[in-house]
Each structure stands twice: as C-alpha cells, then as structure tokens.
Amino acid sequence: MSQTEDYKEEEEQEKKDIAKLLFTDFDGKFKARLSAVIPNQNYANFGNENAPIHSKYDCRIKVTYHKDIMSLLEEGMIFAVRNFKSKKNSDGNKSSSQQDEEDATYIERFTLLVASRIWPDHYGLRALSDHTYYPMQFEVIEQSVADWDTEDKSTMMVQISAIPINYDLVIHRKKYDENDNGKIEHDYIKGFSYPIIGDNAFLLNSDTVSKMYNQKVLSKMDFDIAIDSKSGEDSHRIGVMKMFEEANKKIPLYINFNNLVRYHFGIFSFTGGGKSNLLANLLRKILLFSKDTKIVIFDISCEYPFLLMDLFSDNNIESKIILESPVKKEDEFFISVVKPREYEDDERVKKGLSKVFEKGIVTHFVKPESVCPMCKDVLMELDALRNESSEKPHYLDAISDIRTKIIECMVKNKLKENDFINQEFAQSLISAASEAMRNFKININANLYGWAMSRSFLLDRLKLNESDDGNGRRIKKETGITTDQIIDIIEGTTRLTCISISDPYIIKELAIYLSSEFLHRRKHQFKIKPYILFVFDEAQEFIRDLTNAKGIEKECSEHIETLLRQGRKYGLGGCIATQRIAYLNTSALQQLHTYFVGTLPRPYDRNTVSNTFTIDNGILEKTLEFAPGDWLLSSYIATGIENVPIFIRADNSEKKIESFLGNLD
C-alpha cells in the first residue's frame, strides 16, 4: 500500500473517530448536508430601534428521510458543518511523521448551528398547486399518508432551518508520541465562520452538548457529578435540556449560582408559564448550594411564604417573613398567604404554614414613627447632640449626665441596646433630661433643651403599644419592625427575608430605601460578600419604563436601575420577574446577564426581549409552543458557554412543596 493510500486511510479513520466521539447519527438514521446559506434581509434593520434581532444568515440543512427521524429531531439541537477555516493535512507525499513536524496538532473546524425550524417535505405534495384538478389533489394527498411510514428516500426528505450560534467547534489531535497516542480534544472559539455549502451536517451528541453547556460550570462547583446526577431534582441542576428526549436521554443543566446572583438575571413569561415556580426553585437551589448568599424578596403578591414553605420551616436556614399587617394567629397567617388554586383547601398547607408560624419568624412592617425606639436609638441621639455641642462644655456635661443615668437604668432593668425601651426607661430619661437642663442652665432655645423637654412623648407612645390583659396588668403589643430593623436582619445571620406587602406605595418605599442603603454601605465597607440577591417579583411594579413613570414609580425605577448598574461591583445582585417586559425600564433590563424566557404571546414583548438581549427572533418564536415549565435560557456568564440559547425543562418547585407536605407529622 502506497503512502498516499496510507494517509487517506488514516484520514478516514480520523474522521470516524471524531464522529464517534462528538456526533450522533441515531444508529445510521441521520444523514444530512448543508444545502444553502441565505443572507437574512432583515439582519440590519435601522428603521426601528425596537425591531427584533435577526441572524445574519439562515442556513438550510437537508436530511435524508427515515420514518423515525421526525420524532428524534427537535428544535434547539446543535449541528456542526465544516467551514473554510478547517486545516487539512492534504499533502499525501509527506509521511505522517513529516506532517506532524510541521503541524503540532491536526485541526478540524466546524461552524455550529442551532435548529430553529424542522419540517418534513414530500415531493409529490410539492408538485400540487391550487390549479391541479381537485380529485387529483385529494388522491395525491391521501396516497402521501402511507409514504410517511416507509423509508422512501426518493420522494421525501426532512428540511431544517438553522441559525449560526457564532461559535466554532475546533477539534485537535495531539501530536503522536510515545506517551500520547493521538488523543482527540476539542474546544469552542467565539465568532462566525462561513460553512462549506454541500458538506456534511453533523449532529452533536448528548455528551458533547452536556459538556458544551456544563463543563466550565462544573469545574468551579465543589461536588461529585456522578453522585449528584443520581439525586434528580434534588441535585444542583436547574432542569434538563429539551433535546434527545425521544432517545430517552436526560441531559442535566447546571449553572454557576454565584455568577447568576452577582450579575443579575431575569425571568419573563406570560401568566401560567411557571414564572413563580421557576423563581422559587432557583432561590431554593441558591440557598441550598451556595454558602455566602442572602436573598431579599419583594413579594407584592404574598405567594412566596407558600412557594418556599420548606425553606421557611428549615431550622438550618434562618429566615424572616414581613407582612403588611400584624397576624396573631395561625389562621390569620394562612388566610394572608396566596396559594395555588389546587392547594387552597388542602389541610396539609394549613399545617405546613402553622409550622412556619410557630418558628416565630412572621412579623409585620411598621413605619419608624409609629413604634417606640430601642435603647440604642436613644444613645445614638445623645451622640448626635454631643457632636452638635462640641464647643459648649456645659452642654457636653449635661449630655454625659443624662447618658450615665439612663445606662444605670438599663443595668437595673437588664435592658440591652437592642431592646425596646419600657416605661421605667422613659421615666428615667425624662427625669434625667429635665434635671440636667436645670442643673447646667441650658438655653431654652437650644436644640438640646428642645430634645430634653420633648421626651415625655415616649410615655404616650408606650401606652399606645401596650394593652390591658383584663386583670389590670399592662402587656406589650406586637410592635413590628421598621426599615432600619430590616437592614439589621439582612446584615445579621438571616439568609432569607421575604417582604410580603401588597400596598404598592409601601413596598416601593422599602425597595428604594433598602436598595440605596445597601449600595451606600457596600461602597463604604469595601466588601462584596456575602452576596445579597434582591428579588423583584411582578417587576412592572418596581422598574416601570421611565417615559411613563412619575412620582414614586419613577424614583423606584431609577433606584433599582442604579442597583443593577453598580451592584455587581459590591456583591449586590438583582432578579427581575415579570409577565409584561414591554412595560419595564430597558436601561435596567440591559444590566441582566442571564435570562429565562417563557411564553410571551404579545409580539411587542418578544421584540423587546429580542432587541434587549440580542436573541434571534426565529428562536423566540419557538417559545409560543412552550408548555408550563419550558424555558429558553441564555447567559453571558452563568452557563458554560456564553450567550448561546438553550431550550430547557425546569425542575418543578411544587414537587418540593408536595414532598414537604407529605412528610408533615
């Protein structure tokens, strides 16, 4: 055998090795070629900045017909076609060793395409027209039905419309030596290369797809993938990819939770698409599988106490639920929580929420002016007055005298700085303040004098926050918590804080204050951990389009936009979930690095997604066929490959709730 024949045989074996390693032909059923690369006329649309994005090329792939192939192929599958940047060892006159000396590795390069449409084609049906004799039309149509069950390749084929994903698959074969017998390796290079028209179109197999989307993520996650994969929906995965399902292969999808949180993400779907279900499951995974992350949910619908019931009852996860109004009984808490229709009359839910309520984590929000201060608040007021009076020695002596006496009162009554004041504290403060004003002859026009003489209001406020127990004894009412206390809760050991307030004005005020305060604190603390994720469900209430917003709506939208623009530098992440993306502040949306897109029936919403996140409109059209729980996921940073859309079926959060309810005593 000649050297040329040896080389050709070696090259053919090389191609077979690559095909076996990276591609699948469904046991010989899939054979395809790239038939055309059509420039897209809509690619550059400068007339409307809100116009949807279209791919530069529409690639047509023709597949030899097989009766099973239509059930095996799915939109979203990845195809590879050799391109003009492939480097061939074509000099047959050179020995294998000579060629290796010139090229350290053998390179084969493929353009990657994602299937956007798949349809069967019948030659006989294409020949029909509306002008054909009617009985003949019906006869041809009727006879074509039986053809689909055959493997007649002369009259039928499968057509695929595919879009470049702007990545090349590059295949290397290590140089032969005594230690490495030509191991095949591959990686991905960003950018579009023009594919060779007429060449074979290969289909990436399930292992290749899994490594493509997961390998970089798994390399940074500390767990055993073999053990984790056996846990199913309890594992680190967020769902499975919607491909190769007919081949009975479930490809798990993993994401980097730290990058998901820190670089913001969005969830967009119409009512019934599973938006809250997906968000609840993502939050659950973040808390369970990331160590340094806290979550703050702005829950205007009051549904997350149910959706995350298992976490709120978990003693290993410190949590807090902040309602709009005080609830004194378990029944009141049950009524205040919104539940899915099928769980409204489920007695197990009442039992589960009772378990949450018994933990003592349920409280309510009150504005600071309606509650009594804590001891530390009074001490901080004295410190502020001391700073104002730094040039007046007798004022400083008066303040020191007041401070000494109230600290003595705290010691006597066993009060700590974080305890609310009681009547003894208030009376001691009033007495000490009045006496100091007289003894140190403080000017009646001074701020210190005005502050001292106004302390009597604390007794009135205490009376408002106490009630009679029926036996003549005063008992303390539930005081609730203020914005400053919410900050203390979040900065403490609490990992999950749910602010379930339906009043849009109150919850927007909280969103403004908390987002700006944490951003301000992080800038001055020079730290990024622990990460804090701010979740805005029903985001149209929080980040409305600025052209239509005014008053507190505009202020809230601007503050959250600032949080999203600057927060990732300081470990502050954001999640935006909504059913009407067209109503949102697009400047805020552009800060998102990961997005989950469900069914969006309105074209304007899809166009906004396409334009804002540079997703081809042809891919987005597929979302119209989605069932609840199906999502289009694309990420610049949280998945293993940058900004390549993938269709997934998310794990069902209600299964965790059902399991929790089923295990109740």
Side-chain angles (χ1 to χ4, degrees):
M1 186 179 292
S2 67
Q3 287 185 346
T4 302
E5 290 175 336
D6 284 342
Y7 174 76
K8 287 183 177 179
E9 184 176 333
E10 182 181 316
E11 191 177 52
E12 287 300 317
Q13 184 59 45
E14 189 119 44
K15 290 180 179 179
K16 290 178 181 178
D17 292 342
I18 291 171
K20 183 178 180 180
L21 179 68
L22 301 175
F23 308 133
T24 181
D25 61 2
F26 293 122
D27 298 324
K29 298 173 185 176
F30 178 82
K31 295 178 181 179
R33 289 187 178 271
L34 178 67
S35 65
V37 179
I38 306 167
N40 197 325
Q41 300 300 318
N42 296 319
Y43 172 65
N45 191 335
F46 301 106
N48 183 0
E49 64 177 10
N50 293 320
I53 299 295
H54 293 275
S55 173
K56 190 174 182 179
Y57 296 105
D58 179 15
C59 302
R60 297 296 173 87
I61 297 173
K62 296 186 182 294
V63 184
T64 301
Y65 184 77
H66 187 283
K67 63 180 180 179
D68 297 330
I69 206 67
M70 277 301 297
S71 64
L72 294 170
L73 294 177
E74 298 176 77
E75 283 96 344
M77 284 182 164
I78 308 292
F79 297 89
V81 180
R82 200 161 53 88
N83 60 48
F84 287 98
K85 292 183 179 179
S86 288
K87 189 173 184 180
K88 299 181 70 176
N89 296 336
S90 56
D91 191 349
N93 295 322
K94 294 182 181 180
S95 68
S96 185
S97 60
Q98 289 175 319
Q99 190 68 49
D100 284 343
E101 288 175 3
E102 294 182 10
D103 300 306
T105 59
Y106 174 91
I107 298 177
E108 192 80 71
R109 189 156 172 163
F110 296 85
T111 299
L112 295 180
L113 315 169
V114 58
S116 59
R117 286 186 299 155
I118 301 173
W119 70 97
D121 203 354
H122 192 288
Y123 184 80
L125 294 176
R126 293 187 71 179
L128 289 178
S129 73
D130 289 341
H131 303 292
T132 305
Y133 184 49
Y134 292 163
M136 185 178 294
Q137 287 189 45
F138 282 105
E139 184 176 352
V140 172
I141 293 170
E142 183 180 352
Q143 290 179 354
S144 70
V145 174
D147 293 341
W148 299 117
D149 289 326
T150 69
E151 296 181 13
D152 186 355
K153 298 174 177 57
S154 62
T155 58
M156 294 171 294
M157 72 165 59
V158 176
Q159 304 240 34
I160 299 174
S161 177
I163 297 169
I165 65 172
N166 298 319
Y167 272 91
D168 278 3
L169 169 65
V170 181
I171 300 176
H172 307 263
R173 178 180 285 280
K174 284 188 176 180
K175 181 179 177 180
Y176 281 91
D177 57 39
E178 58 185 11
N179 297 319
D180 189 343
N181 190 22
K183 181 182 178 181
I184 295 175
E185 294 183 341
H186 69 281
D187 54 21
Y188 303 94
I189 296 178
K190 192 170 178 60
F192 173 75
S193 301
Y194 203 93
I196 299 173
I197 299 174
D199 210 341
N200 288 311
F202 299 98
L203 177 62
L204 268 60
N205 63 30
S206 58
D207 290 338
T208 305
V209 171
S210 179
K211 290 177 182 178
M212 177 179 173
Y213 283 96
N214 291 325
Q215 195 164 29
K216 287 184 179 179
V217 175
L218 293 174
S219 65
K220 297 180 180 179
M221 298 175 73
D222 185 21
F223 65 89
D224 189 325
I225 179 64
I227 297 175
D228 184 77
S229 60
K230 296 178 181 179
S231 302
E233 295 194 6
D234 291 327
S235 67
H236 288 69
R237 78 179 199 193
I238 63 166
V240 295
M241 302 182 202
K242 281 181 59 63
M243 60 177 76
F244 298 102
E245 291 181 307
E246 289 297 324
N248 294 319
K249 293 183 180 180
K250 290 187 177 181
I251 310 173
L253 181 70
Y254 298 92
I255 58 176
N256 187 314
F257 293 121
N258 287 336
N259 287 346
L260 180 74
V261 169
R262 186 174 176 184
Y263 294 92
H264 320 313
F265 65 100
I267 300 175
F268 314 111
S269 178
F270 195 60
T271 302
K275 172 173 59 67
S276 298
N277 188 300
L278 172 65
L279 178 53
N281 204 46
L282 289 174
L283 299 181
R284 181 179 288 105
K285 303 275 186 178
I286 289 167
L287 284 173
L288 293 176
F289 300 126
S290 61
K291 298 177 182 178
D292 295 321
T293 303
K294 299 181 177 184
I295 294 174
V296 182
I297 308 173
F298 293 90
D299 176 22
I300 202 167
S301 301
C302 198
E303 56 184 345
Y304 286 90
F306 170 84
L307 294 172
L308 298 175
M309 193 190 318
D310 55 319
L311 296 184
F312 285 118
S313 65
D314 190 339
N315 292 323
N316 296 319
I317 299 176
E318 193 166 333
S319 56
K320 182 72 73 175
I321 298 173
I322 303 168
L323 303 177
E324 187 172 352
S325 304
V327 290
K328 301 177 181 178
K329 300 178 181 178
E330 297 171 358
D331 289 344
E332 293 176 354
F333 179 52
F334 175 78
I335 293 170
S336 66
V337 175
V338 175
K339 301 162 282 292
R341 189 185 308 111
E342 59 270 25
Y343 287 100
E344 287 179 349
D345 299 320
D346 194 328
E347 289 297 320
R348 297 177 304 163
V349 175
K350 184 176 291 187
K351 198 172 182 179
L353 291 175
S354 295
K355 186 175 180 181
V356 174
F357 188 80
E358 289 168 1
K359 283 186 67 181
I361 63 172
V362 181
T363 184
H364 70 281
F365 173 71
V366 288
K367 293 188 176 181
E369 60 268 19
S370 66
V371 297
C372 290
M374 291 185 288
C375 295
K376 70 175 183 179
D377 296 327
V378 177
L379 295 174
M380 289 173 63
E381 289 176 1
L382 285 170
D383 291 338
L385 290 166
R386 181 187 294 276
N387 293 333
E388 290 180 10
S389 309
S390 58
E391 297 179 357
K392 299 176 181 179
H394 62 300
Y395 281 34
L396 296 177
D397 291 339
I399 293 169
S400 296
D401 187 67
I402 297 170
R403 185 183 183 92
T404 299
K405 289 179 179 177
I406 63 174
I407 288 178
E408 289 175 354
C409 177
M410 289 172 60
V411 173
K412 181 180 178 181
N413 290 277
K414 298 181 180 180
L415 293 174
K416 297 178 181 178
E417 288 191 1
N418 288 326
D419 291 336
F420 289 99
I421 68 171
N422 56 22
Q423 288 197 23
E424 289 78 7
F425 183 99
Q427 288 170 346
S428 177
L429 174 61
I430 293 167
S431 175
S434 300
E435 186 177 344
M437 296 305 101
R438 291 193 305 269
N439 293 342
F440 294 94
K441 301 186 183 325
I442 304 300
N443 191 314
I444 61 173
N445 295 319
N447 288 338
L448 176 58
Y449 188 92
W451 175 85
M453 293 299 102
S454 65
R455 294 308 88 192
S456 59
F457 86 96
L458 291 174
L459 279 175
D460 297 330
R461 185 174 290 180
L462 281 167
K463 292 175 182 178
L464 288 173
N465 285 282
E466 292 181 349
S467 60
D468 197 302
D469 67 354
N471 298 316
R473 291 174 299 187
R474 309 288 295 179
I475 58 172
K476 192 173 182 63
K477 292 181 180 179
E478 170 62 44
T479 56
I481 60 173
T482 65
T483 48
D484 289 338
Q485 290 172 287
I486 293 175
I487 290 176
D488 291 339
I489 287 169
I490 297 169
E491 288 207 320
T493 56
T494 302
R495 293 194 64 201
L496 175 59
T497 305
C498 182
I499 303 173
S500 295
I501 297 176
S502 60
D503 187 311
Y505 190 89
I506 293 175
I507 200 168
K508 285 172 190 172
E509 276 190 328
L510 277 171
I512 292 169
Y513 183 78
L514 294 178
S515 60
S516 58
E517 181 65 19
F518 273 101
L519 190 57
H520 173 76
R521 291 189 181 203
R522 284 295 175 95
K523 286 180 178 179
H524 289 80
Q525 291 169 344
F526 301 104
K527 70 176 186 178
I528 61 173
K529 287 189 177 181
Y531 295 153
I532 301 177
L533 174 66
F534 293 90
V535 179
F536 301 96
D537 195 16
E538 303 298 340
Q540 68 276 5
E541 297 289 340
F542 298 95
I543 52 169
R544 289 189 70 85
D545 182 3
L546 292 177
T547 58
N548 299 318
K550 58 184 179 180
I552 194 170
E553 285 185 345
K554 183 177 182 181
E555 186 181 2
C556 187
S557 183
E558 290 173 338
H559 275 78
I560 296 174
E561 179 189 336
T562 302
L563 173 72
L564 295 175
R565 279 193 289 105
Q566 301 179 14
R568 61 177 173 269
K569 302 174 188 175
Y570 307 104
L572 302 177
C575 167
I576 293 171
T578 184
Q579 56 183 308
R580 282 310 310 271
I581 190 173
Y583 292 158
L584 301 189
N585 179 342
T586 53
S587 296
L589 289 175
Q590 288 168 351
Q591 308 306 316
L592 307 180
H593 282 57
T594 304
Y595 25 89
F596 298 83
V597 184
T599 301
L600 294 172
R602 295 181 177 87
Y604 187 78
D605 287 333
R606 294 197 302 277
N607 291 350
T608 302
V609 171
S610 176
N611 183 270
T612 305
F613 305 125
T614 62
I615 301 178
D616 186 272
N617 199 50
I619 295 291
L620 279 175
E621 294 295 326
K622 173 67 178 175
T623 63
L624 293 173
E625 306 170 18
F626 279 178
D630 292 346
W631 297 91
L632 170 65
L633 165 63
S634 188
S635 177
Y636 288 98
I637 197 163
T639 55
I641 190 163
E642 180 183 320
N643 201 32
V644 175
I646 179 72
F647 299 123
I648 69 168
R649 176 170 290 112
D651 290 339
N652 189 353
S653 180
E654 285 190 5
K655 287 187 177 180
K656 294 298 297 181
I657 297 298
E658 189 63 35
S659 175
F660 168 75
L661 295 176
N663 291 327
L664 290 173
D665 295 332

